[in-house]
């Protein structure tokens, strides 16, 4: 049988190695059929000559907010997923979000299915944000979410009045998810610390966008991260700390991993490339800093960036996600909600930044594909781990997504051969529905030349978007894998038989 697609003359990168040049990828029925040499090509076989470029798995962005009620000017499914494939991402996992007054998850899920069905350029799944984890929901609904819908991960907030859960609720969710083989994601910031600082800042009339970073200091993330790890240790449950921005908080993760606890960590491009000075006013626009308001906030010191880069390279971080959660800047209902009668109020500025399209190029630009060996911040296999293989495994997509192996979906990114050098991020070139990018003018060493989803070229940089809106498929996910440490650990200081008295 002929292949549907053969990719020749590329350098294949996996999560463990860079394969020798000269290998070919044969694709049939949307799957990688084989990796070999001299693959037969019939008259119907499409052949793509990679011209010596690197080939990596299609990106898996496991932290994406689309069509969210709290971001009415944000990206919807059509524009967000269009942007994803233009940046090399072929799979996203977005959020169905429970509100405090929701006593059941089913209406929330039904509504989110309606807004996403047949509206995606890429393959996709859902996480569920839990804000009101009642006993009914945890005992009866969450197990069915996993079994019937393949939603095998939930996200919790330790801050925000409208969303936060208390420590007891975190524990209840951790125990439930551990029993079901689900992944628990936690936004860790100390709510009371932040509330206290906001009161003082507002009393002293310090309400410009920059003070968003002052109101959410690093110590608030450090404390909450340690507390979340302690709760997970008691529950003996896997956990992922999302969008980490503080090297001290990451050190808590590293220490936990050193004790073989199943604690995973995620960071995002804005915490590696941007600092809090982006939140300050500019001469032409005193409210300009609102574009860069996100939580946790951008940090103050280059030392924070360097600490995170070390954790990218040394394996502490499990995943690298965009946390694409944008609001437009210069439209009613967007970031300018933070201007009240002409006075800036940072607490009213919608949180979140655009980044789904720029995630992959920004990190690829720091590998030896674009940097000298001395300047590269991570290896090519580490790039693949962070952007594709690890999130696929952690969120129950292993065997289908995130790797270049026979039997996996033919989701591939072919980069430009060599270091293009002159590639610069510009809002005018992006495919999201936002009116800015926080990375405007930032040089990256390369950009996806082709994005391939299940054997179909959906992005060709020379021709633009080739994929169809309804081509994206919903992914019913399996149980997540523990990629760091293991379960079965005994909390420090606890006797072997203590658990039997309270479990």
């Amino acid at each position: 049988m002929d292949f549907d697609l053969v990719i020749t003359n590329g350098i294949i990168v996996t999560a463990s190695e860079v394969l020798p040049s000269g290998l070919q990828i044969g694709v049939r029925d949307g799957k990688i059929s084989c990796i070999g040499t001299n693959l037969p090509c019939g008259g119907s076989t499409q052949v793509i000559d990679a011209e010596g470029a690197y080939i990596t798995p299609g990106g898996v962005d496991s932290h994406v907010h689309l069509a969210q009620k709290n971001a009415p000017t944000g990206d919807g499914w059509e524009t967000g997923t269009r942007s994803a494939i233009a940046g090399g991402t072929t799979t996203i996992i977005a959020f169905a979000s429970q509100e405090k007054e929701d006593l059941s998850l089913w209406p929330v899920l039904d509504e989110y299915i309606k807004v996403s069905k047949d509206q995606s350029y890429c393959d996709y799944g859902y996480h569920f944000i839990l804000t009101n984890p009642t006993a009914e929901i945890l005992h009866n609904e969450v197990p069915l979410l996993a079994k019937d819908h393949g939603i095998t991960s939930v996200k919790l907030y330790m801050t925000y009045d409208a969303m936060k859960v208390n420590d007891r609720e975190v524990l209840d969710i951790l125990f439930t998810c551990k029993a079901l083989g689900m992944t628990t994601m936690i936004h860790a910031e100390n709510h009371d610390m932040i509330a206290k600082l906001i009161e003082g800042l507002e009393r002293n009339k310090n309400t410009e966008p920059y003070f968003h970073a002052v109101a959410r200091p690093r110590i608030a993330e450090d404390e909450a991260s340690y507390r979340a790890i302690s709760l997970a240790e008691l529950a003996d449950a896997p956990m992922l700390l999302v969008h980490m921005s503080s090297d001290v908080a990451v050190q808590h993760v590293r220490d936990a991993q050193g004790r073989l606890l199943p604690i995973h960590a995620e960071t995002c491009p804005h915490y590696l490339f941007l600092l809090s000075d982006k939140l300050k006013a500019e001469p032409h626009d005193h409210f300009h800093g609102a574009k860069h308001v996100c939580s946790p906030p951008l940090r103050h010191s280059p030392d924070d960036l360097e600490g995170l880069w070390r954790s990218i390279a040394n394996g502490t971080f499990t995943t690298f996600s965009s946390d694409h959660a944008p609001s437009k800047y210069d439209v009613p209902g967007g970031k300018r909600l933070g201007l009240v009668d002409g006075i800036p109020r940072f607490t009213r500025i919608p949180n979140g930044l655009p980044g789904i399209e720029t995630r992959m190029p920004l990190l690829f630009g720091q590998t030896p594909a674009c940097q000298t060996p001395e300047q590269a911040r991570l290896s090519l296999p580490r790039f693949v781990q962070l952007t594709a293989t690890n999130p696929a495994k952690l969120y129950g997509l292993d065997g289908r997504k995130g790797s270049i192996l026979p039997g996996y979906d033919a989701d591939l990114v072919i980069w430009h051969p060599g270091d293009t050098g002159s590639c610069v991020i510009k809002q005018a070139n992006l495919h999201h529905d936002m009116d800015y990018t926080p990375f405007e003018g930032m040089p990256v060493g390369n950009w996806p030349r082709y994005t391939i989803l299940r054997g179909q070229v959906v992005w060709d940089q020379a021709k633009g978007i080739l994929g169809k809106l309804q081509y994206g498929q919903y992914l019913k996910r399996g149980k997540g894998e523990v990629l760091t440490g293991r379960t079965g650990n005994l909390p420090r200081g606890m006797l072997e038989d203590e658990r039997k008295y309270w479990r």
Side-chain angles (χ1 to χ4, degrees):
M1 292 179 63
D2 292 336
F3 295 105
D4 301 322
L5 170 68
V6 171
I7 302 172
T8 67
N9 196 24
I11 303 173
I12 300 168
V13 185
T14 72
S16 59
E17 57 196 341
V18 180
L19 300 181
S21 60
L23 293 174
Q24 299 173 313
I25 301 173
V27 176
R28 185 181 294 128
D29 297 328
K31 300 281 187 181
I32 297 171
S33 180
C34 71
I35 299 172
T37 57
N38 299 315
L39 300 184
C41 297
S44 62
T45 302
Q46 179 185 8
V47 178
I48 296 178
D49 184 354
E51 301 180 20
Y54 287 106
I55 305 172
T56 61
V60 179
D61 193 342
S62 53
H63 194 150
V64 174
H65 298 268
L66 298 177
Q68 305 281 262
K69 289 182 179 179
N70 62 356
T73 69
D75 265 318
W77 278 84
E78 178 179 355
T79 58
T81 58
R82 179 183 68 198
S83 188
I85 61 173
T89 291
T90 52
T91 299
I92 65 163
I93 311 180
F95 293 91
S97 183
Q98 179 195 27
E99 298 184 12
K100 286 284 189 182
E101 63 270 19
D102 293 328
L103 299 180
S104 172
L105 302 181
W106 302 125
V108 180
L109 178 60
D110 289 343
E111 183 177 355
Y112 206 56
I113 289 173
K114 288 178 183 176
V115 299
S116 59
K117 184 176 175 58
D118 296 329
Q119 294 296 307
S120 184
Y121 282 95
C122 65
D123 290 352
Y124 64 97
Y126 308 136
H127 308 290
F128 226 108
I129 295 173
L130 296 181
T131 61
N132 183 18
T134 64
E136 167 68 19
I137 286 172
L138 293 182
H139 296 158
N140 297 323
E141 295 192 0
V142 170
L144 291 179
L145 282 179
K147 179 173 179 280
D148 295 344
H149 296 275
I151 300 174
T152 53
S153 48
V154 300
K155 182 183 178 183
L156 317 178
Y157 288 84
M158 299 173 78
T159 187
Y160 302 129
D161 286 319
M163 307 183 84
K164 70 183 179 73
V165 293
N166 60 40
D167 288 357
R168 170 58 189 269
E169 291 169 324
V170 172
L171 278 172
D172 289 342
I173 293 166
L174 284 166
F175 278 109
T176 297
C177 289
K178 192 254 176 112
L180 296 170
M182 295 174 65
T183 300
T184 302
M185 310 158 70
I186 293 189
H187 176 143
E189 289 184 286
N190 185 300
H191 179 80
D192 292 321
M193 282 185 184
I194 294 166
K196 177 68 175 177
L197 294 183
I198 288 174
E199 287 178 6
L201 288 165
E202 290 183 334
R203 185 175 60 251
N204 292 322
K205 295 182 170 41
N206 293 316
T207 60
E208 296 177 356
Y210 176 75
F211 291 104
H212 173 79
V214 177
R216 309 180 88 94
R218 203 176 69 171
I219 193 172
E221 182 181 353
D222 300 341
E223 186 281 330
S225 297
Y226 184 83
R227 179 159 40 100
I229 291 169
S230 299
L231 296 171
E233 183 173 8
L234 179 66
D236 188 30
M239 184 185 70
L240 173 80
L241 286 160
V242 297
H243 48 51
M244 300 195 76
S245 67
S246 163
D247 186 45
V248 175
V250 176
Q251 182 64 53
H252 296 327
V253 172
R254 193 176 301 121
D255 291 344
Q257 292 173 347
R259 294 186 286 115
L260 296 184
L261 297 181
I263 305 300
H264 306 93
E266 167 200 274
T267 196
C268 310
H270 37 287
Y271 299 124
L272 296 176
F273 291 95
L274 305 176
L275 290 169
S276 63
D277 58 3
K278 290 286 188 180
L279 291 159
K280 294 181 178 179
E282 293 196 355
H284 68 284
D285 182 1
H286 74 286
F287 196 62
H288 184 270
K291 293 180 177 180
H292 299 89
V293 166
C294 59
S295 295
L298 304 181
R299 296 305 178 191
H300 300 313
S301 170
D303 292 341
D304 289 300
L305 304 188
E306 289 304 314
L308 297 185
W309 276 115
R310 285 193 297 272
S311 295
I312 282 282
N314 69 21
T316 303
F317 282 117
T318 310
T319 63
F320 179 74
S321 302
S322 68
D323 191 11
H324 182 79
S327 293
K328 291 186 178 71
Y329 176 64
D330 203 17
V331 300
K335 293 281 189 179
R336 287 187 177 271
L337 283 173
L339 270 179
V340 182
D341 296 327
I343 299 173
R345 303 282 186 185
F346 70 82
T347 57
R348 306 280 189 91
I349 300 169
N351 268 266
L353 307 179
I356 195 170
E357 188 168 347
T358 49
R359 175 187 74 113
M360 296 272 284
L362 280 166
L363 197 62
F364 189 80
Q366 300 299 313
T367 69
C370 304
Q371 304 282 346
T372 65
E374 295 77 19
Q375 294 174 319
R377 292 183 178 272
L378 73 163
S379 69
L380 282 159
R382 183 76 177 122
F383 167 82
V384 170
Q385 291 172 22
L386 289 163
T387 60
T389 307
N390 284 357
K393 290 181 176 181
L394 184 66
Y395 293 111
L397 293 170
D398 192 30
R400 181 170 180 182
K401 301 292 186 182
S403 297
I404 301 178
L405 287 170
Y408 279 69
D409 284 359
D411 295 355
L412 305 163
V413 179
I414 303 175
W415 301 83
H416 282 269
D419 179 2
T420 61
S422 60
C423 186
V424 175
I425 294 174
K426 296 179 180 179
Q427 161 65 15
N429 296 334
L430 300 180
H431 296 78
H432 56 201
D433 190 32
M434 295 298 102
D435 54 1
Y436 77 99
T437 170
F439 306 106
E440 184 72 38
M442 189 170 292
V444 290
N446 212 315
W447 198 272
R449 188 179 186 185
Y450 302 104
T451 303
I452 299 169
L453 171 60
R454 285 181 279 111
Q456 297 294 314
V457 178
V458 294
W459 162 256
D460 178 336
Q461 193 174 30
K463 299 177 182 178
I465 300 289
L466 300 181
K468 303 302 181 185
L469 181 59
Q470 298 183 5
Y471 187 60
Q473 294 181 350
Y474 176 74
L475 301 168
K476 185 177 179 181
R477 296 181 287 125
K479 293 180 180 180
E481 293 185 33
V482 173
L483 302 183
T484 298
R486 66 189 183 200
T487 56
N489 297 291
L490 194 67
R492 288 171 293 182
M494 188 177 286
L495 299 176
E496 287 286 344
D497 63 348
E498 281 189 46
R499 275 200 172 109
K500 72 179 183 182
Y501 294 109
W502 52 266
R503 267 214 301 211

